[in-house]
mmCIF file of all heavy atoms in Angstrom:
data_model
loop_
_atom_site.group_PDB
_atom_site.id
_atom_site.type_symbol
_atom_site.label_atom_id
_atom_site.label_comp_id
_atom_site.label_asym_id
_atom_site.label_seq_id
_atom_site.Cartn_x
_atom_site.Cartn_y
_atom_site.Cartn_z
ATOM 1 N N GLU Q 7 12.439 0.067 8.672
ATOM 2 C CA GLU Q 7 12.189 -1.248 9.323
ATOM 3 C C GLU Q 7 12.831 -2.371 8.562
ATOM 4 O O GLU Q 7 12.966 -2.319 7.347
ATOM 5 C CB GLU Q 7 10.668 -1.529 9.325
ATOM 6 C CG GLU Q 7 9.896 -0.826 10.392
ATOM 7 C CD GLU Q 7 8.429 -1.218 10.401
ATOM 8 O OE1 GLU Q 7 7.916 -1.709 9.370
ATOM 9 O OE2 GLU Q 7 7.804 -1.047 11.433
ATOM 10 N N ASP Q 8 13.230 -3.414 9.317
ATOM 11 C CA ASP Q 8 13.587 -4.687 8.690
ATOM 12 C C ASP Q 8 12.311 -5.523 8.747
ATOM 13 O O ASP Q 8 11.698 -5.633 9.808
ATOM 14 C CB ASP Q 8 14.697 -5.393 9.483
ATOM 15 C CG ASP Q 8 15.965 -4.554 9.534
ATOM 16 O OD1 ASP Q 8 16.344 -4.012 8.481
ATOM 17 O OD2 ASP Q 8 16.556 -4.419 10.620
ATOM 18 N N ILE Q 9 11.934 -6.073 7.650
ATOM 19 C CA ILE Q 9 10.676 -6.819 7.599
ATOM 20 C C ILE Q 9 10.953 -8.311 7.469
ATOM 21 O O ILE Q 9 11.590 -8.728 6.502
ATOM 22 C CB ILE Q 9 9.830 -6.316 6.408
ATOM 23 C CG1 ILE Q 9 9.517 -4.818 6.598
ATOM 24 C CG2 ILE Q 9 8.542 -7.108 6.261
ATOM 25 C CD1 ILE Q 9 9.161 -4.095 5.333
ATOM 26 N N PHE Q 10 10.558 -9.073 8.472
ATOM 27 C CA PHE Q 10 10.793 -10.528 8.417
ATOM 28 C C PHE Q 10 9.726 -11.223 9.233
ATOM 29 O O PHE Q 10 8.875 -10.581 9.837
ATOM 30 C CB PHE Q 10 12.199 -10.846 8.952
ATOM 31 C CG PHE Q 10 12.461 -10.341 10.336
ATOM 32 C CD1 PHE Q 10 12.122 -11.095 11.443
ATOM 33 C CD2 PHE Q 10 13.002 -9.067 10.534
ATOM 34 C CE1 PHE Q 10 12.340 -10.614 12.736
ATOM 35 C CE2 PHE Q 10 13.202 -8.575 11.808
ATOM 36 C CZ PHE Q 10 12.881 -9.352 12.917
ATOM 37 N N GLY Q 11 9.773 -12.558 9.251
ATOM 38 C CA GLY Q 11 8.844 -13.346 10.065
ATOM 39 C C GLY Q 11 7.395 -13.061 9.695
ATOM 40 O O GLY Q 11 7.070 -12.895 8.522
ATOM 41 N N PRO Q 12 6.534 -12.972 10.718
ATOM 42 C CA PRO Q 12 5.101 -12.779 10.438
ATOM 43 C C PRO Q 12 4.837 -11.540 9.583
ATOM 44 O O PRO Q 12 3.968 -11.548 8.721
ATOM 45 C CB PRO Q 12 4.494 -12.585 11.836
ATOM 46 C CG PRO Q 12 5.481 -13.091 12.795
ATOM 47 C CD PRO Q 12 6.822 -13.043 12.149
ATOM 48 N N GLN Q 13 5.626 -10.477 9.825
ATOM 49 C CA GLN Q 13 5.414 -9.250 9.054
ATOM 50 C C GLN Q 13 5.681 -9.463 7.560
ATOM 51 O O GLN Q 13 4.913 -9.000 6.721
ATOM 52 C CB GLN Q 13 6.318 -8.142 9.614
ATOM 53 C CG GLN Q 13 5.797 -6.770 9.287
ATOM 54 C CD GLN Q 13 6.781 -5.660 9.654
ATOM 55 O OE1 GLN Q 13 7.859 -5.919 10.195
ATOM 56 N NE2 GLN Q 13 6.425 -4.432 9.353
ATOM 57 N N ALA Q 14 6.742 -10.199 7.265
ATOM 58 C CA ALA Q 14 7.049 -10.476 5.865
ATOM 59 C C ALA Q 14 5.946 -11.320 5.240
ATOM 60 O O ALA Q 14 5.558 -11.121 4.071
ATOM 61 C CB ALA Q 14 8.402 -11.181 5.738
ATOM 62 N N LEU Q 15 5.410 -12.261 6.026
ATOM 63 C CA LEU Q 15 4.320 -13.108 5.507
ATOM 64 C C LEU Q 15 3.076 -12.259 5.252
ATOM 65 O O LEU Q 15 2.363 -12.455 4.262
ATOM 66 C CB LEU Q 15 3.989 -14.218 6.510
ATOM 67 C CG LEU Q 15 5.085 -15.262 6.717
ATOM 68 C CD1 LEU Q 15 4.760 -16.177 7.892
ATOM 69 C CD2 LEU Q 15 5.292 -16.091 5.445
ATOM 70 N N CYS Q 16 2.808 -11.307 6.158
ATOM 71 C CA CYS Q 16 1.655 -10.412 5.960
ATOM 72 C C CYS Q 16 1.845 -9.545 4.725
ATOM 73 O O CYS Q 16 0.898 -9.317 3.965
ATOM 74 C CB CYS Q 16 1.441 -9.518 7.186
ATOM 75 S SG CYS Q 16 0.753 -10.386 8.573
ATOM 76 N N PHE Q 17 3.054 -9.037 4.537
ATOM 77 C CA PHE Q 17 3.328 -8.226 3.338
ATOM 78 C C PHE Q 17 3.005 -9.029 2.095
ATOM 79 O O PHE Q 17 2.389 -8.552 1.156
ATOM 80 C CB PHE Q 17 4.813 -7.823 3.306
ATOM 81 C CG PHE Q 17 5.064 -6.413 3.756
ATOM 82 C CD1 PHE Q 17 4.919 -6.066 5.084
ATOM 83 C CD2 PHE Q 17 5.434 -5.426 2.854
ATOM 84 C CE1 PHE Q 17 5.146 -4.765 5.517
ATOM 85 C CE2 PHE Q 17 5.641 -4.114 3.261
ATOM 86 C CZ PHE Q 17 5.507 -3.794 4.578
ATOM 87 N N ASP Q 18 3.453 -10.285 2.103
ATOM 88 C CA ASP Q 18 3.236 -11.151 0.962
ATOM 89 C C ASP Q 18 1.757 -11.378 0.753
ATOM 90 O O ASP Q 18 1.260 -11.279 -0.382
ATOM 91 C CB ASP Q 18 3.978 -12.481 1.218
ATOM 92 C CG ASP Q 18 3.948 -13.367 -0.009
ATOM 93 O OD1 ASP Q 18 4.111 -12.832 -1.111
ATOM 94 O OD2 ASP Q 18 3.735 -14.585 0.132
ATOM 95 N N ARG Q 19 1.024 -11.626 1.834
ATOM 96 C CA ARG Q 19 -0.412 -11.867 1.708
ATOM 97 C C ARG Q 19 -1.109 -10.621 1.148
ATOM 98 O O ARG Q 19 -1.975 -10.704 0.279
ATOM 99 C CB ARG Q 19 -0.977 -12.231 3.097
ATOM 100 C CG ARG Q 19 -2.464 -12.414 3.081
ATOM 101 C CD ARG Q 19 -2.895 -13.072 4.393
ATOM 102 N NE ARG Q 19 -4.076 -12.461 4.938
ATOM 103 C CZ ARG Q 19 -4.363 -12.394 6.221
ATOM 104 N NH1 ARG Q 19 -3.513 -12.880 7.106
ATOM 105 N NH2 ARG Q 19 -5.469 -11.858 6.631
ATOM 106 N N ILE Q 20 -0.703 -9.467 1.654
ATOM 107 C CA ILE Q 20 -1.334 -8.208 1.219
ATOM 108 C C ILE Q 20 -1.050 -7.975 -0.267
ATOM 109 O O ILE Q 20 -1.947 -7.632 -1.034
ATOM 110 C CB ILE Q 20 -0.832 -7.020 2.083
ATOM 111 C CG1 ILE Q 20 -1.410 -7.134 3.506
ATOM 112 C CG2 ILE Q 20 -1.180 -5.693 1.439
ATOM 113 C CD1 ILE Q 20 -0.813 -6.197 4.514
ATOM 114 N N GLU Q 21 0.212 -8.189 -0.671
ATOM 115 C CA GLU Q 21 0.546 -7.954 -2.074
ATOM 116 C C GLU Q 21 -0.159 -8.948 -2.996
ATOM 117 O O GLU Q 21 -0.615 -8.590 -4.080
ATOM 118 C CB GLU Q 21 2.066 -8.000 -2.260
ATOM 119 C CG GLU Q 21 2.730 -6.774 -1.649
ATOM 120 C CD GLU Q 21 4.222 -6.737 -1.727
ATOM 121 O OE1 GLU Q 21 4.832 -7.649 -2.304
ATOM 122 O OE2 GLU Q 21 4.810 -5.780 -1.171
ATOM 123 N N THR Q 22 -0.268 -10.199 -2.527
ATOM 124 C CA THR Q 22 -0.964 -11.194 -3.344
ATOM 125 C C THR Q 22 -2.424 -10.832 -3.488
ATOM 126 O O THR Q 22 -3.015 -10.914 -4.580
ATOM 127 C CB THR Q 22 -0.801 -12.600 -2.688
ATOM 128 O OG1 THR Q 22 0.578 -12.843 -2.499
ATOM 129 C CG2 THR Q 22 -1.383 -13.697 -3.562
ATOM 130 N N SER Q 23 -3.051 -10.404 -2.391
ATOM 131 C CA SER Q 23 -4.452 -9.978 -2.434
ATOM 132 C C SER Q 23 -4.617 -8.808 -3.388
ATOM 133 O O SER Q 23 -5.553 -8.759 -4.196
ATOM 134 C CB SER Q 23 -4.911 -9.499 -1.042
ATOM 135 O OG SER Q 23 -5.453 -10.540 -0.331
ATOM 136 N N ALA Q 24 -3.690 -7.840 -3.269
ATOM 137 C CA ALA Q 24 -3.800 -6.627 -4.087
ATOM 138 C C ALA Q 24 -3.730 -7.003 -5.566
ATOM 139 O O ALA Q 24 -4.536 -6.539 -6.382
ATOM 140 C CB ALA Q 24 -2.689 -5.644 -3.735
ATOM 141 N N ARG Q 25 -2.780 -7.879 -5.915
ATOM 142 C CA ARG Q 25 -2.650 -8.281 -7.319
ATOM 143 C C ARG Q 25 -3.938 -8.960 -7.804
ATOM 144 O O ARG Q 25 -4.372 -8.740 -8.938
ATOM 145 C CB ARG Q 25 -1.453 -9.222 -7.511
ATOM 146 C CG ARG Q 25 -0.128 -8.478 -7.423
ATOM 147 C CD ARG Q 25 1.054 -9.408 -7.620
ATOM 148 N NE ARG Q 25 2.274 -8.710 -7.317
ATOM 149 C CZ ARG Q 25 2.869 -7.852 -8.141
ATOM 150 N NH1 ARG Q 25 2.344 -7.617 -9.318
ATOM 151 N NH2 ARG Q 25 3.963 -7.224 -7.784
ATOM 152 N N ALA Q 26 -4.520 -9.781 -6.953
ATOM 153 C CA ALA Q 26 -5.751 -10.505 -7.346
ATOM 154 C C ALA Q 26 -6.889 -9.500 -7.560
ATOM 155 O O ALA Q 26 -7.620 -9.578 -8.559
ATOM 156 C CB ALA Q 26 -6.113 -11.510 -6.261
ATOM 157 N N VAL Q 27 -7.026 -8.544 -6.661
ATOM 158 C CA VAL Q 27 -8.113 -7.559 -6.771
ATOM 159 C C VAL Q 27 -7.884 -6.647 -8.000
ATOM 160 O O VAL Q 27 -8.812 -6.379 -8.749
ATOM 161 C CB VAL Q 27 -8.257 -6.744 -5.461
ATOM 162 C CG1 VAL Q 27 -9.230 -5.586 -5.651
ATOM 163 C CG2 VAL Q 27 -8.701 -7.651 -4.328
ATOM 164 N N PHE Q 28 -6.638 -6.225 -8.215
ATOM 165 C CA PHE Q 28 -6.366 -5.359 -9.371
ATOM 166 C C PHE Q 28 -6.667 -6.096 -10.669
ATOM 167 O O PHE Q 28 -7.132 -5.499 -11.643
ATOM 168 C CB PHE Q 28 -4.910 -4.878 -9.347
ATOM 169 C CG PHE Q 28 -4.671 -3.782 -8.334
ATOM 170 C CD1 PHE Q 28 -3.588 -3.808 -7.494
ATOM 171 C CD2 PHE Q 28 -5.554 -2.699 -8.257
ATOM 172 C CE1 PHE Q 28 -3.380 -2.797 -6.555
ATOM 173 C CE2 PHE Q 28 -5.346 -1.698 -7.323
ATOM 174 C CZ PHE Q 28 -4.263 -1.740 -6.471
ATOM 175 N N LYS Q 29 -6.415 -7.370 -10.690
ATOM 176 C CA LYS Q 29 -6.696 -8.162 -11.886
ATOM 177 C C LYS Q 29 -8.206 -8.154 -12.151
ATOM 178 O O LYS Q 29 -8.656 -7.940 -13.288
ATOM 179 C CB LYS Q 29 -6.217 -9.601 -11.695
ATOM 180 C CG LYS Q 29 -6.170 -10.358 -12.954
ATOM 181 C CD LYS Q 29 -5.341 -11.615 -12.810
ATOM 182 C CE LYS Q 29 -5.158 -12.158 -14.210
ATOM 183 N NZ LYS Q 29 -4.204 -13.204 -14.297
ATOM 184 N N ILE Q 30 -8.985 -8.351 -11.109
ATOM 185 C CA ILE Q 30 -10.445 -8.351 -11.233
ATOM 186 C C ILE Q 30 -10.941 -7.004 -11.741
ATOM 187 O O ILE Q 30 -11.855 -6.915 -12.548
ATOM 188 C CB ILE Q 30 -11.100 -8.705 -9.876
ATOM 189 C CG1 ILE Q 30 -10.792 -10.174 -9.517
ATOM 190 C CG2 ILE Q 30 -12.604 -8.467 -9.913
ATOM 191 C CD1 ILE Q 30 -11.156 -10.541 -8.111
ATOM 192 N N PHE Q 31 -10.286 -5.926 -11.264
ATOM 193 C CA PHE Q 31 -10.716 -4.571 -11.655
ATOM 194 C C PHE Q 31 -10.057 -4.095 -12.961
ATOM 195 O O PHE Q 31 -10.300 -2.985 -13.406
ATOM 196 C CB PHE Q 31 -10.446 -3.573 -10.522
ATOM 197 C CG PHE Q 31 -11.523 -3.589 -9.471
ATOM 198 C CD1 PHE Q 31 -11.582 -4.605 -8.523
ATOM 199 C CD2 PHE Q 31 -12.495 -2.604 -9.422
ATOM 200 C CE1 PHE Q 31 -12.568 -4.625 -7.551
ATOM 201 C CE2 PHE Q 31 -13.507 -2.621 -8.464
ATOM 202 C CZ PHE Q 31 -13.536 -3.641 -7.532
ATOM 203 N N GLY Q 32 -9.183 -4.915 -13.535
ATOM 204 C CA GLY Q 32 -8.586 -4.561 -14.822
ATOM 205 C C GLY Q 32 -7.463 -3.539 -14.769
ATOM 206 O O GLY Q 32 -7.332 -2.710 -15.669
ATOM 207 N N PHE Q 33 -6.640 -3.619 -13.709
ATOM 208 C CA PHE Q 33 -5.493 -2.697 -13.628
ATOM 209 C C PHE Q 33 -4.208 -3.445 -13.989
ATOM 210 O O PHE Q 33 -4.049 -4.593 -13.611
ATOM 211 C CB PHE Q 33 -5.357 -2.144 -12.207
ATOM 212 C CG PHE Q 33 -6.376 -1.116 -11.845
ATOM 213 C CD1 PHE Q 33 -7.635 -1.485 -11.420
ATOM 214 C CD2 PHE Q 33 -6.094 0.231 -11.925
ATOM 215 C CE1 PHE Q 33 -8.605 -0.551 -11.089
ATOM 216 C CE2 PHE Q 33 -7.047 1.197 -11.597
ATOM 217 C CZ PHE Q 33 -8.306 0.798 -11.166
ATOM 218 N N GLU Q 34 -3.307 -2.762 -14.711
ATOM 219 C CA GLU Q 34 -2.029 -3.345 -15.052
ATOM 220 C C GLU Q 34 -0.944 -2.756 -14.158
ATOM 221 O O GLU Q 34 -1.027 -1.578 -13.796
ATOM 222 C CB GLU Q 34 -1.633 -2.938 -16.477
ATOM 223 C CG GLU Q 34 -2.351 -3.636 -17.585
ATOM 224 C CD GLU Q 34 -1.856 -3.064 -18.917
ATOM 225 O OE1 GLU Q 34 -0.793 -3.506 -19.394
ATOM 226 O OE2 GLU Q 34 -2.518 -2.150 -19.437
ATOM 227 N N GLU Q 35 0.106 -3.532 -13.917
ATOM 228 C CA GLU Q 35 1.167 -3.009 -13.074
ATOM 229 C C GLU Q 35 2.072 -2.052 -13.838
ATOM 230 O O GLU Q 35 2.391 -2.262 -14.995
ATOM 231 C CB GLU Q 35 2.018 -4.155 -12.512
ATOM 232 C CG GLU Q 35 3.081 -3.661 -11.558
ATOM 233 C CD GLU Q 35 3.754 -4.750 -10.749
ATOM 234 O OE1 GLU Q 35 3.603 -5.949 -11.111
ATOM 235 O OE2 GLU Q 35 4.448 -4.409 -9.780
ATOM 236 N N LEU Q 36 2.465 -0.976 -13.181
ATOM 237 C CA LEU Q 36 3.471 -0.060 -13.736
ATOM 238 C C LEU Q 36 4.478 0.205 -12.635
ATOM 239 O O LEU Q 36 4.133 0.770 -11.597
ATOM 240 C CB LEU Q 36 2.818 1.243 -14.214
ATOM 241 C CG LEU Q 36 3.536 2.064 -15.282
ATOM 242 C CD1 LEU Q 36 2.681 3.224 -15.741
ATOM 243 C CD2 LEU Q 36 4.880 2.559 -14.885
ATOM 244 N N ARG Q 37 5.701 -0.246 -12.851
ATOM 245 C CA ARG Q 37 6.758 -0.031 -11.857
ATOM 246 C C ARG Q 37 7.570 1.190 -12.281
ATOM 247 O O ARG Q 37 8.200 1.149 -13.325
ATOM 248 C CB ARG Q 37 7.694 -1.218 -11.758
ATOM 249 C CG ARG Q 37 6.986 -2.484 -11.318
ATOM 250 C CD ARG Q 37 8.036 -3.572 -11.177
ATOM 251 N NE ARG Q 37 7.397 -4.855 -10.995
ATOM 252 C CZ ARG Q 37 7.798 -5.764 -10.122
ATOM 253 N NH1 ARG Q 37 8.835 -5.506 -9.339
ATOM 254 N NH2 ARG Q 37 7.198 -6.913 -10.003
#
Side-chain angles (χ1 to χ4, degrees):
E7 281 184 338
D8 299 315
I9 299 158
F10 56 88
Q13 203 188 358
L15 294 170
C16 286
F17 258 71
D18 187 41
R19 176 167 137 210
I20 290 169
E21 288 177 3
T22 306
S23 269
R25 287 181 189 281
V27 172
F28 284 134
K29 193 165 191 169
I30 293 169
F31 278 76
F33 286 82
E34 284 179 83
E35 184 168 14
L36 204 173
R37 298 184 191 223

